[in-house]
Amino acid sequence: MERDSAQRTLFITGTNSGFGKATVELFAAEGWRVAATVRDKRAHENLFSHLAGVRLYELDVDDFEQVERVAAEAVKDFGRIDVVVNNAGYCLMGPTETSTMEQIRRQFWTNTLGVFAVTKAFLPHMREAGGGTIINIASASAMFNYPFVAAYGASKWAVRGMTEGLAAELAPFNIVVKGIYPGFHATAIFTKLDQGAAAETPAHRAYKPYYANMLSAQKALPNAGSPARIARAIHRAATSPKGRPHIVSGLDAKLLLLVKRLLPQRAFQRLQTRAILAPASKAQTAFMRLTFGRNQRPLRMDLPDDLP
């Protein structure tokens, strides 16, 4: 018999903003106990101090030894972790040619290996406890990738593959593994960008107009879908173990995925290429606003005025 919410515990990474913060607030409101992590606890010391049952931990998912220590500490503090949400991550954006291999390595280290590390840290506990749920926050980019985020999307495709493999591997132990693939939402992802290496070179000059065209839609949008939508999707995934293992969230993501399935591969690729050949039109940005629905929040962005 499933335990009620008041006895259940969520462990989630990357909670100082966006999906993570909204998820902590929702689960706490539903009576769950929550182990929330941030990279720098000193910068967010009072983040959830007003929420009963929430404990804040400092965790950098790039530090695998720290991941093991914090996982053990959370298990000791709460007695049992029922659901783990791998949410921490960031986006490397820019031309692949002008990105360094160190930037690309770092992208996979955080977005992919960090998810593996956190998951592995809790598997012995969940297996011995007789089950649990792991929810990986990937991206719609893991269903159809966009120009100028090749490494980011690839890191999320890897998370999708990990989710699918582990779902079968861990089923005998009653451990459920799911992936959530959000579309465009009003998170802090555009304020935590790792841009392609900034230098005025022939390569930068060659890509600059296409990169600017790709970002023109984002720069024209004042709002996007609320992160609360993804928090609700996470809650449904956590409380409905027999639900779908791969959850695409956001009308924009669902529509583009449908288009990809309906079009021949080359036609879809041409559609993606056209998005960088000219700035987004007023009609295109208006359509994007429509797909975000009624529940929208201000879109925070920190894009360079003079794109690299």
Side-chain angles (χ1 to χ4, degrees), residues 7 16 28 87-88 113 136 164 171 219 248 252 272-273 300:
Q7 296 175 300
N16 61 289
N87 174 66
L113 298 184
N136 298 323
E164 187 160 309
K219 296 184 81 170
V248 178
D252 59 322
Q272 293 286 73
T273 301
R300 294 175 291 162

Side-chain angles (χ1 to χ4, degrees), residues 103-157:
Q103 287 178 304
I104 295 170
R105 183 200 67 78
R106 215 165 43 230
Q107 179 76 117
F108 277 83
W109 193 274
T110 297
N111 287 8
T112 305
L113 298 184
V115 175
F116 268 104
V118 172
T119 299
K120 276 177 56 62
F122 284 101
L123 287 184
H125 168 68
M126 287 187 168
R127 178 174 48 77
E128 292 168 5
T133 300
I134 297 165
I135 300 172
N136 298 323
I137 309 304
S139 166
S141 293
M143 296 290 179
F144 43 81
N145 209 3
Y146 300 92
F148 300 112
V149 287
Y152 171 76
S155 72
K156 296 297 188 176
W157 277 66

Side-chain angles (χ1 to χ4, degrees), residues 6-256:
Q7 296 175 300
R8 304 190 76 196
T9 305
L10 170 78
F11 181 95
I12 177 170
T13 61
T15 65
N16 61 289
S17 65
F19 301 148
K21 185 173 184 290
T23 299
V24 172
E25 292 170 343
L26 175 60
F27 275 73
E30 292 292 325
W32 285 60
R33 302 180 303 174
V34 181
T37 79
V38 293
R39 289 190 69 172
D40 185 356
K41 190 174 177 180
R42 289 173 298 180
H44 306 285
E45 191 171 352
N46 298 315
L47 182 60
F48 300 117
S49 58
H50 63 293
L51 297 177
V54 177
R55 182 170 297 195
L56 194 63
Y57 298 83
E58 184 167 281
L59 176 62
D60 180 351
V61 298
D62 292 358
D63 185 339
F64 301 157
E65 291 184 356
Q66 187 186 36
V67 168
E68 292 283 349
R69 291 195 305 270
V70 171
E73 185 179 351
V75 170
K76 181 180 178 182
D77 290 342
F78 288 97
R80 175 165 174 169
I81 303 296
D82 298 279
V83 178
V84 170
V85 176
N86 287 301
N87 174 66
Y90 73 97
C91 181
L92 169 62
M93 179 181 284
T96 299
E97 183 179 343
T98 63
S99 300
T100 68
M101 283 308 301
E102 174 58 23
Q103 287 178 304
I104 295 170
R105 183 200 67 78
R106 215 165 43 230
Q107 179 76 117
F108 277 83
W109 193 274
T110 297
N111 287 8
T112 305
L113 298 184
V115 175
F116 268 104
V118 172
T119 299
K120 276 177 56 62
F122 284 101
L123 287 184
H125 168 68
M126 287 187 168
R127 178 174 48 77
E128 292 168 5
T133 300
I134 297 165
I135 300 172
N136 298 323
I137 309 304
S139 166
S141 293
M143 296 290 179
F144 43 81
N145 209 3
Y146 300 92
F148 300 112
V149 287
Y152 171 76
S155 72
K156 296 297 188 176
W157 277 66
V159 171
R160 177 183 167 191
M162 169 196 173
T163 300
E164 187 160 309
L166 284 182
E169 181 179 328
L170 299 175
F173 304 103
N174 196 34
I175 299 174
V176 176
V177 186
K178 298 184 179 186
I180 296 181
Y181 307 86
F184 198 54
H185 286 77
T187 70
I189 192 168
F190 284 105
T191 66
K192 298 185 293 185
L193 290 173
D194 185 10
Q195 296 281 342
E200 189 60 25
T201 65
H204 280 84
R205 288 191 290 273
Y207 287 104
K208 184 174 180 177
Y210 306 112
Y211 187 28
N213 288 340
M214 193 272 290
L215 289 175
S216 63
Q218 286 89 331
K219 296 184 81 170
L221 294 168
N223 301 303
S226 170
R229 177 185 299 154
I230 300 303
R232 291 193 295 271
I234 294 170
H235 187 268
R236 287 193 296 271
T239 54
S240 305
K242 293 184 180 179
R244 290 174 296 151
H246 298 284
I247 303 160
V248 178
S249 185
L251 183 58
D252 59 322
K254 292 177 181 178
L255 285 175
L256 197 51

Side-chain angles (χ1 to χ4, degrees), residues 144 256-274:
F144 43 81
L256 197 51
L257 180 58
L258 177 62
V259 169
K260 181 181 181 181
R261 288 171 174 169
L262 293 175
L263 288 180
Q265 291 182 18
R266 288 188 181 276
F268 184 79
Q269 188 175 44
R270 287 195 296 271
L271 181 67
Q272 293 286 73
T273 301
R274 281 203 295 270

